Short mmCIF file of all heavy atoms in Angstrom, two decimals:
data_model
loop_
_atom_site.label_atom_id
_atom_site.label_comp_id
_atom_site.label_asym_id
_atom_site.label_seq_id
_atom_site.Cartn_x
_atom_site.Cartn_y
_atom_site.Cartn_z
N ARG A 1 -1.32 78.54 -161.50
CA ARG A 1 -2.32 78.50 -160.55
C ARG A 1 -1.79 77.88 -159.20
O ARG A 1 -2.26 78.37 -158.08
CB ARG A 1 -3.47 77.60 -161.14
CG ARG A 1 -4.32 78.21 -162.22
CD ARG A 1 -5.24 77.31 -162.82
NE ARG A 1 -6.09 78.16 -163.89
CZ ARG A 1 -6.98 77.53 -164.61
NH1 ARG A 1 -7.05 76.21 -164.68
NH2 ARG A 1 -7.57 78.17 -165.57
N ALA A 2 -0.82 77.02 -159.27
CA ALA A 2 -0.25 76.58 -158.06
C ALA A 2 0.53 77.65 -157.38
O ALA A 2 0.44 77.77 -156.11
CB ALA A 2 0.75 75.38 -158.37
N MET A 3 1.21 78.53 -158.09
CA MET A 3 1.80 79.70 -157.59
C MET A 3 0.77 80.63 -156.93
O MET A 3 1.06 81.20 -155.73
CB MET A 3 2.59 80.45 -158.54
CG MET A 3 3.63 81.35 -158.02
SD MET A 3 4.89 81.81 -159.19
CE MET A 3 4.03 82.77 -160.49
N ALA A 4 -0.46 80.76 -157.41
CA ALA A 4 -1.45 81.55 -156.83
C ALA A 4 -1.87 80.97 -155.51
O ALA A 4 -2.14 81.59 -154.46
CB ALA A 4 -2.62 81.74 -157.78
N ARG A 5 -2.07 79.57 -155.52
CA ARG A 5 -2.49 78.98 -154.15
C ARG A 5 -1.41 79.09 -153.11
O ARG A 5 -1.85 79.40 -151.97
CB ARG A 5 -2.63 77.40 -154.48
CG ARG A 5 -3.93 77.09 -155.35
CD ARG A 5 -4.34 75.71 -155.22
NE ARG A 5 -3.39 74.88 -155.79
CZ ARG A 5 -3.28 74.45 -157.06
NH1 ARG A 5 -4.11 74.91 -157.88
NH2 ARG A 5 -2.20 73.65 -157.43
N GLU A 6 -0.18 79.12 -153.57
CA GLU A 6 0.86 79.26 -152.51
C GLU A 6 0.88 80.70 -151.98
O GLU A 6 1.05 80.90 -150.89
CB GLU A 6 2.26 79.06 -153.21
CG GLU A 6 2.46 77.48 -153.57
CD GLU A 6 3.65 77.29 -154.42
OE1 GLU A 6 4.34 78.28 -154.71
OE2 GLU A 6 3.90 76.18 -154.90
N LYS A 7 0.51 81.53 -152.85
CA LYS A 7 0.57 83.06 -152.42
C LYS A 7 -0.69 83.21 -151.45
O LYS A 7 -0.46 83.90 -150.40
CB LYS A 7 0.30 83.98 -153.67
CG LYS A 7 0.31 85.41 -153.29
CD LYS A 7 1.40 86.11 -152.79
CE LYS A 7 1.36 87.50 -152.57
NZ LYS A 7 2.55 88.07 -152.03
N ILE A 8 -1.74 82.71 -151.71
CA ILE A 8 -2.98 82.73 -150.76
C ILE A 8 -2.61 82.11 -149.48
O ILE A 8 -2.91 82.66 -148.35
CB ILE A 8 -4.14 82.06 -151.45
CG1 ILE A 8 -4.60 82.79 -152.71
CG2 ILE A 8 -5.29 82.04 -150.37
CD1 ILE A 8 -5.11 84.22 -152.39
N ALA A 9 -2.04 81.04 -149.46
CA ALA A 9 -1.59 80.37 -148.26
C ALA A 9 -0.62 81.25 -147.34
O ALA A 9 -0.76 81.23 -146.23
CB ALA A 9 -0.90 78.96 -148.56
N GLU A 10 0.32 81.81 -148.08
CA GLU A 10 1.15 82.70 -147.37
C GLU A 10 0.48 84.00 -146.81
O GLU A 10 0.72 84.27 -145.61
CB GLU A 10 2.20 83.32 -148.43
CG GLU A 10 3.24 82.19 -148.85
CD GLU A 10 4.22 82.79 -149.91
OE1 GLU A 10 4.10 83.95 -150.21
OE2 GLU A 10 5.04 81.98 -150.39
N MET A 11 -0.47 84.46 -147.48
CA MET A 11 -1.27 85.66 -146.93
C MET A 11 -2.06 85.20 -145.73
O MET A 11 -2.15 85.92 -144.73
CB MET A 11 -2.17 86.19 -147.97
CG MET A 11 -1.52 86.83 -149.23
SD MET A 11 -2.48 87.19 -150.66
CE MET A 11 -3.64 88.34 -149.93
N ARG A 12 -2.65 83.90 -145.81
CA ARG A 12 -3.36 83.48 -144.66
C ARG A 12 -2.58 83.27 -143.39
O ARG A 12 -2.96 83.46 -142.24
CB ARG A 12 -4.29 82.21 -145.03
CG ARG A 12 -5.39 82.64 -145.88
CD ARG A 12 -6.04 81.42 -146.53
NE ARG A 12 -7.32 81.64 -147.39
CZ ARG A 12 -7.91 80.80 -148.10
NH1 ARG A 12 -7.48 79.60 -148.16
NH2 ARG A 12 -8.93 81.19 -148.82
N GLU A 13 -1.37 82.67 -143.62
CA GLU A 13 -0.55 82.45 -142.57
C GLU A 13 -0.05 83.68 -141.93
O GLU A 13 0.17 83.74 -140.73
CB GLU A 13 0.51 81.52 -143.10
CG GLU A 13 1.64 81.14 -141.95
CD GLU A 13 2.73 80.20 -142.45
OE1 GLU A 13 2.66 79.80 -143.74
OE2 GLU A 13 3.57 79.86 -141.72
N ARG A 14 0.24 84.60 -142.65
CA ARG A 14 0.84 85.90 -142.25
C ARG A 14 -0.25 86.69 -141.39
O ARG A 14 0.03 87.38 -140.42
CB ARG A 14 1.26 86.68 -143.45
CG ARG A 14 1.96 87.97 -142.95
CD ARG A 14 2.76 88.72 -144.16
NE ARG A 14 1.84 89.04 -145.29
CZ ARG A 14 1.80 88.47 -146.51
NH1 ARG A 14 2.62 87.42 -146.71
NH2 ARG A 14 0.89 88.79 -147.39
N ASP A 15 -1.52 86.49 -141.82
CA ASP A 15 -2.65 87.33 -141.13
C ASP A 15 -3.83 86.31 -141.00
O ASP A 15 -4.78 86.41 -141.64
CB ASP A 15 -2.97 88.60 -141.98
CG ASP A 15 -3.92 89.46 -141.22
OD1 ASP A 15 -4.21 89.05 -140.03
OD2 ASP A 15 -4.17 90.56 -141.68
N PRO A 16 -3.77 85.37 -140.01
CA PRO A 16 -4.82 84.37 -139.89
C PRO A 16 -6.18 84.92 -139.48
O PRO A 16 -7.16 84.20 -139.66
CB PRO A 16 -4.24 83.37 -138.77
CG PRO A 16 -3.18 84.19 -138.09
CD PRO A 16 -2.67 85.28 -139.01
N GLU A 17 -6.23 86.09 -138.98
CA GLU A 17 -7.57 86.74 -138.54
C GLU A 17 -8.21 87.24 -139.85
O GLU A 17 -9.52 87.52 -139.66
CB GLU A 17 -7.34 87.79 -137.47
CG GLU A 17 -6.70 87.33 -136.28
CD GLU A 17 -7.46 86.19 -135.57
OE1 GLU A 17 -8.63 86.30 -135.53
OE2 GLU A 17 -6.81 85.23 -135.09
N ARG A 18 -7.62 87.40 -140.84
CA ARG A 18 -8.27 88.05 -141.92
C ARG A 18 -8.71 86.87 -142.88
O ARG A 18 -7.98 86.02 -143.15
CB ARG A 18 -7.24 88.99 -142.74
CG ARG A 18 -7.73 89.46 -144.11
CD ARG A 18 -6.77 90.42 -144.60
NE ARG A 18 -6.89 91.62 -143.94
CZ ARG A 18 -6.17 92.81 -144.27
NH1 ARG A 18 -5.22 92.76 -145.28
NH2 ARG A 18 -6.23 93.98 -143.69
N ASP A 19 -10.01 87.13 -143.39
CA ASP A 19 -10.61 86.07 -144.37
C ASP A 19 -10.26 86.58 -145.73
O ASP A 19 -10.84 87.49 -146.31
CB ASP A 19 -12.16 86.16 -144.26
CG ASP A 19 -12.77 85.08 -145.02
OD1 ASP A 19 -12.10 84.22 -145.51
OD2 ASP A 19 -14.00 85.28 -145.31
N VAL A 20 -9.17 85.86 -146.26
CA VAL A 20 -8.72 86.13 -147.63
C VAL A 20 -9.21 85.04 -148.56
O VAL A 20 -8.93 83.77 -148.39
CB VAL A 20 -7.23 86.24 -147.70
CG1 VAL A 20 -6.72 86.42 -149.12
CG2 VAL A 20 -6.60 87.28 -146.77
N GLN A 21 -10.11 85.38 -149.43
CA GLN A 21 -10.62 84.53 -150.49
C GLN A 21 -10.22 84.83 -151.87
O GLN A 21 -10.21 85.99 -152.26
CB GLN A 21 -12.27 84.59 -150.42
CG GLN A 21 -12.96 84.20 -149.13
CD GLN A 21 -12.77 82.64 -148.86
OE1 GLN A 21 -12.58 81.85 -149.84
NE2 GLN A 21 -12.60 82.34 -147.58
N ILE A 22 -9.59 83.72 -152.54
CA ILE A 22 -9.39 83.93 -153.93
C ILE A 22 -10.58 84.07 -154.70
O ILE A 22 -11.57 83.33 -154.48
CB ILE A 22 -8.40 82.78 -154.45
CG1 ILE A 22 -7.80 83.20 -155.72
CG2 ILE A 22 -9.11 81.52 -154.53
CD1 ILE A 22 -6.58 82.35 -156.19
N PHE A 23 -10.66 85.20 -155.48
CA PHE A 23 -11.88 85.53 -156.26
C PHE A 23 -11.92 85.09 -157.73
O PHE A 23 -12.83 84.65 -158.20
CB PHE A 23 -12.06 86.96 -156.10
CG PHE A 23 -13.46 87.43 -156.47
CD1 PHE A 23 -14.58 87.14 -155.77
CD2 PHE A 23 -13.46 88.04 -157.85
CE1 PHE A 23 -15.92 87.53 -156.28
CE2 PHE A 23 -14.83 88.55 -158.25
CZ PHE A 23 -15.86 88.20 -157.51
N SER A 24 -10.76 85.38 -158.39
CA SER A 24 -10.80 85.05 -159.90
C SER A 24 -9.29 84.88 -160.38
O SER A 24 -8.41 85.63 -159.91
CB SER A 24 -11.35 86.29 -160.57
OG SER A 24 -11.42 86.15 -161.99
N VAL A 25 -9.23 83.90 -161.18
CA VAL A 25 -7.86 83.56 -161.59
C VAL A 25 -7.94 83.54 -163.26
O VAL A 25 -9.09 83.55 -163.73
CB VAL A 25 -7.39 82.23 -161.27
CG1 VAL A 25 -7.17 82.11 -159.66
CG2 VAL A 25 -8.28 81.04 -161.59
N PRO A 26 -6.85 83.66 -163.94
CA PRO A 26 -6.86 83.61 -165.48
C PRO A 26 -7.37 82.29 -165.86
O PRO A 26 -7.21 81.23 -165.36
CB PRO A 26 -5.33 83.72 -165.75
CG PRO A 26 -4.81 84.43 -164.68
CD PRO A 26 -5.47 83.91 -163.39
#
């Protein structure tokens, strides 16, 4: 789950204008 949070943070940093919301995790 920490790895998923890191991935989300990378996606937001790469494209700050896009609203990326994590929706479902295992």
